[in-house]
Structures are given as C-alpha cells and as structure tokens.
Amino acid sequence: MSRRVCVIGGGSSGLTSIKSCLDEGLEPTCFESSDDIGGLWRFKENPEADRASIYHSVIINTSKEMMCFSDFPIPAHFPNYMHNSLIMDYFRMYAEHFQLTKHIRFQIRVLQVKPRPDFSRSGQWDVETENKKGEKEKHIFDAVMICIGHHCHPNLPLHDFPGIDKFKGQYFHSRDYKTAEEWRGKRVVVIGIGNSGGDIAVELSRVTKQVFLSTRRGAWILNRVGQQGVPMDFQLNRRVVKMAQSVLPFGLVCRLGENKINQRFNHSLYSLQPKHRLFSQHPTVNDELPNRILSGTVQVKPNIRRLQGSSIEFDDGTVEDNIDLVVFATGYNFSFPFLPSNMLPVSGNKANLYKYMFPPGLERPTLVVIGLVQPLGAIMPISEMQARWATRVFKGTSLQGTNPRHQYVTSQRHTIQVDYIDYMDQIAYQVGARPSLLRLLLRDPGVWLCVLLGPCTPYQYRLRGPGQWDGARQAILTTWDRMAGALKTRPSDIPEPKQRSLPLTLTVGAAALALGYYWNIHNHPSLLIALDPTTWQDKIKPYLPVLW
C-alpha cells in the first residue's frame, strides 16, 4: 500500500509538496482552509484570519527564472518580475500540468495533528479536520507536511508605541492595506522598512500630502534592475560569486557590496544607512524609494517615541502633526496551533528544527515543515527542494534525514534567513541532486560554464539524481533567452551593443577554472589528461554569448 501523506496548506509550498509526493509514489491529501490555491500570492480584498494578505499592486522581488519550480519554467513572454496575478496564473498552470488540484480539499481547516499511540512503531498521525459547515472528520496519515509558511499572524507591537491607544487617526497592519486612493491628501507614517514597508510608503507617496517612513535600524536598498538592465538576482545568485565570498573576509565582502550599492545612491546621505553590514540581514528590494526620498514625498524618520493625539514624536525629538494614518509594516509571527504544545513550541518566534524542516526528538521522521525559511532568493525552489527530500525520507530512500534528533537549528524571523545557493546545495546533497561541477566540466563543458558563471537557476537541481528532468539542460542553456524575450517587445533594426561585461565574466571564469584545475590535479593526478584544455575548449565557445 502507498503511504498516505497529509499536506497542510495549498500555497506554493503545498503545491510542490503534493507533486513531490506523487513523484515518489506517495498518496497526498492537501487540506486548504480557503477556497483556492495560491496562499500568500492570492489577492483578496478582505483579509482572512491567521494568514497574510497582499495589496493589489504587489510585484515579486525575485525574477521569474530564479523563482520557478525546477521542472516547469515560467513562459518566456511573462515579465521577469511578475505581478501577483501572473504568479497565480503560473501556479494554476503548474497545478493543471501535474494534475495537483484533484488532491486538494478546499475549505477544510486542520484542527489537530497528533502522533498515534503506536507512533514509535508506525510513525503515523491522527489528523482532525473541520469543513465550512462545522462538520469534523478524523483521518490517519503516515506522514504530515506543514506548508503554512511564516506569514501567519500579523505582528502588531502596540505596547512599544506609547499613546497609540489615544491616537486620533487610524492605524492598521500592512496586511489590511490594499490601495492608496482613499488616503489622497493625507499625512501618513509607515513603520518598518522591509519590502512591504518600502512598497507601501512609495505607493502612498504618489497621492498623499506626505509620507514619513520610520525605521529603527535603517536598511540596505537593492534594485530589481541590475547592471545593464539584467535582473539583479541574475548577478547576485551565482556560484562563482559565492565561491569568491567563501574565501574572502566577511568584512571585505560586505564593504565591496556596500560600496557598489552606494554608487547608486549614498545611503547615509538619504538617512537610510543601517547599523548592520550588508550581508548581516535581509536587504530591502525597492526601485523607487530613492526617487521618492529625493523628491521629498517620502521622509525617512527614526523610531517613534510617543503618539499624542494626532501628533507623533520621533526619537530624534522631531514632531509631526496632523497624522491621519499609521501603517505597521512590522512583519508576522508563526505558530502551529494544531500540534501538541510540547512537540514544536514557538516562543518569541523561535522554533527548533533540523535543517529548518524536521522537529527534533521525534522517534520517526514523519513530520516536516516546508517553507519556513526566509532566503536571500526565492522561496519556491527551496520549498520544492525541501519537499523532494522530505518525501524521500518518508519513503525510506534517503537515510541522511532519518535521525534528525541530534542536530537542529534555531529558527525565528531573522535566523530563518538562509543563503539561497548554500541551502539549496545542502538539501540537494541529501536528495542526491546537487550538481557536480567536476562531472559537468568533463562531460558537458557548455552547461558547466552556465552553472558556474550564470545565475543559479532551479533547473540545475534537475540535472542528475532522483527527479532528474530531461529538459533541465536546455532550460539552463536558454535561461537568458527567456529573460530577454520578455523585454524585446518592439522590433528593432539597430544592432545590439557589444556587452562590456563579457571580458570580466571570462576573467572571473578563467580564474575559477584555474583554481579548480589546480585543486583537482593536485588531488587527482589521473585527471590531468581528462582536463587537457584542448579537448574541451571548442565545446565551450558556443555558450559564451549566453553569459554576456
């Protein structure tokens, strides 16, 4: 009999968990409390309880090639940074292509998940659910995948803002913000300079009389548009960049990055200079904030000291009067109310999880949390990789994950932050799908060059091992074509300018190749003949243009 798996949540993590179960021959049943898929990315005018809610204009801050599922590329004509409605279109295409929806039971809420009396032997779980009519049902599952993410309960720290109870204006959490129009001509304070806070401040500043953006620590501001118009994450999330960062001192890496960012605009001059280094905390992605600050429609302020009537005093002693609205862009807390309180306690937004996935102490590794990470990159491919590993653990074909009791990491808002490439490689190693640079160099130099120097796209994790996809190689080689295809919407007879970054790319690539060559020859002299440059240099040439 196939193992039955309970998947809680029908967002991006839930969808890929269903697919991973099917790929491994498991039998998934997904319980989704709402009436549709999409989770966080499904816009609703009226927010639902215990879940995040986005505003109408939200555009994702990772490019389509970096956020797609690894065996289902986003169509070439879709823009590189997609509006939330297009993300939903992609999810629907994914669900339809792999026939996932039939495994989802909508408007079903999970009330309780607890181990069965014989859990130490069977690893099974009792799951109780409730439908929209209030009718309850009990189920038995062999494994459980929790896919509710970390945007669960709005964090509204009113106790940190003296006088908020007597504030004469309105205040609400960012989840309740939808459009700017109703605040035309008003004076607004936005608290928090994360991605939501920055976006809302910019959008409000187009119609309001004045926006004040309050931040305790400041932030490093990244642009979606990178050098020469290429998506920024194409340049940041590259293996060759991570190799360089791993050998250089942390302070030097931060200083180089900070100097580069400050070339666009001086963060200190714009009152945004943070107290932390660039790679110490998640940066904020916002293309328009510097322009809004420069035009005066957004003013950056320190933390709020107190509120008095309709006035707000800041920590620097300045006071702004006649404030109509305060938006708390102060993030979310997560919890697992359906689990026994002692199984996965969450205190101060902290939870103990091995590899951010498996609760420690369980006698059987049949409970997993998917998507409880905040990557410096896209969440969708990480959730997919986690699901691929978890389902193999459930099936018993991955031994590395069968004893998570003795190692775990502490997870909270800031410590659930992971580096995209490092974390993907860690989990891919458990699956047996981590790309081998040496193998690619010997067998497919063109793809090797793309994997080493190009963006670390999810397709790289379908080149080998369980779940290998025949289309992965072609998807890697055509990554830049899909990126450019969405931009070339007007025919032009003007020849494209020669890309000046190619020499630098080749120089960095040559340096990486030389280091790899030296290491391999030093440790594996038998590879000397196999790595003779004359045997593979001609194979690489056709792929150089795609790297620019």
Side-chain angles (χ1 to χ4, degrees), residues 24 127 177 218 237 253 309:
E24 293 296 334
V127 176
Y177 172 82
N237 285 326
V253 172

Side-chain angles (χ1 to χ4, degrees), residues 104-389:
I104 304 176
R105 296 181 60 183
F106 292 104
Q107 295 184 303
I108 300 291
R109 187 164 63 98
V110 175
L111 300 177
Q112 190 176 63
V113 176
K114 61 181 182 180
R116 304 208 74 212
D118 64 346
F119 178 80
S120 60
R121 178 184 59 83
S122 68
Q124 291 182 326
W125 298 85
D126 285 322
V127 176
E128 184 178 9
T129 61
E130 181 181 51
N131 64 20
K132 62 180 180 180
K133 298 179 181 179
E135 299 169 340
K136 298 180 181 180
E137 187 177 0
K138 294 185 178 181
H139 320 259
I140 298 174
F141 287 99
D142 297 293
V144 176
M145 305 178 79
I146 302 174
C147 306
I148 61 175
H150 55 88
H151 297 92
C152 300
H153 315 293
N155 178 40
L156 201 61
L158 299 181
H159 59 277
D160 292 334
F161 297 89
I164 188 68
D165 56 327
K166 297 180 180 179
F167 177 57
K168 292 183 178 180
Q170 296 186 47
Y171 68 87
F172 52 69
H173 191 271
S174 58
R175 76 188 291 268
D176 296 309
Y177 172 82
K178 296 305 172 184
T179 61
E181 188 58 37
E182 62 180 302
W183 304 105
R184 180 173 293 276
K186 305 296 185 180
R187 289 166 57 85
V188 178
V189 172
V190 177
I191 301 173
I193 198 171
N195 291 325
S196 294
D199 283 350
I200 292 172
V202 165
E203 184 167 288
L204 283 169
S205 71
R206 298 192 184 102
V207 300
T208 56
K209 185 176 182 180
Q210 184 64 58
V211 170
F212 303 96
L213 180 57
S214 172
T215 171
R216 290 181 178 180
R217 297 180 54 89
W220 295 105
I221 309 298
L222 298 184
N223 198 355
R224 288 181 176 87
V225 183
Q227 188 176 357
Q228 298 182 11
V230 173
M232 177 62 76
D233 52 8
F234 268 44
Q235 299 165 348
L236 293 179
N237 285 326
R238 293 186 293 162
R239 291 186 180 276
V240 67
V241 173
K242 294 303 176 185
M243 289 178 180
Q245 290 178 346
S246 66
V247 298
L248 294 176
F250 177 77
L252 175 60
V253 172
C254 288
R255 186 164 72 248
L256 291 173
E258 290 161 7
N259 289 343
K260 182 69 174 179
I261 291 175
N262 277 326
Q263 287 177 8
R264 180 178 173 234
F265 73 93
N266 187 309
H267 281 56
S268 179
L269 180 64
Y270 280 61
S271 300
L272 288 169
Q273 182 76 33
K275 301 176 182 179
H276 57 269
R277 303 305 301 270
L278 175 60
F279 295 107
S280 297
Q281 201 174 87
H282 207 297
T284 296
V285 178
N286 197 295
D287 301 284
E288 299 183 63
L289 184 58
N291 297 331
R292 289 285 143 183
I293 295 174
L294 193 63
S295 66
T297 57
V298 172
Q299 291 186 23
V300 180
K301 290 286 189 177
N303 192 45
I304 292 175
R305 179 178 294 170
R306 65 175 65 90
L307 297 91
Q308 294 178 311
S310 61
S311 300
I312 293 182
E313 180 183 352
F314 297 91
D315 279 348
D316 61 354
T318 59
V319 177
E320 296 296 339
D321 300 318
N322 302 316
I323 301 300
D324 300 290
L325 171 67
V326 176
V327 180
F328 286 84
T330 45
Y332 291 83
N333 298 315
F334 62 86
S335 66
F336 309 99
F338 42 77
L339 291 177
S341 58
N342 62 345
M343 178 167 293
L344 188 53
V346 178
S347 177
N349 229 29
K350 300 178 182 178
N352 291 330
L353 291 166
Y354 171 68
K355 296 293 186 184
Y356 302 89
M357 294 173 59
F358 291 97
L362 290 182
E363 296 172 281
R364 298 283 182 176
T366 55
L367 176 69
V368 67
V369 180
I370 302 295
L372 190 63
V373 292
Q374 187 173 1
L376 295 175
I379 182 64
M380 291 78 168
I382 286 183
S383 293
E384 179 188 42
M385 185 58 68
Q386 290 179 328
R388 290 172 65 185
W389 181 33

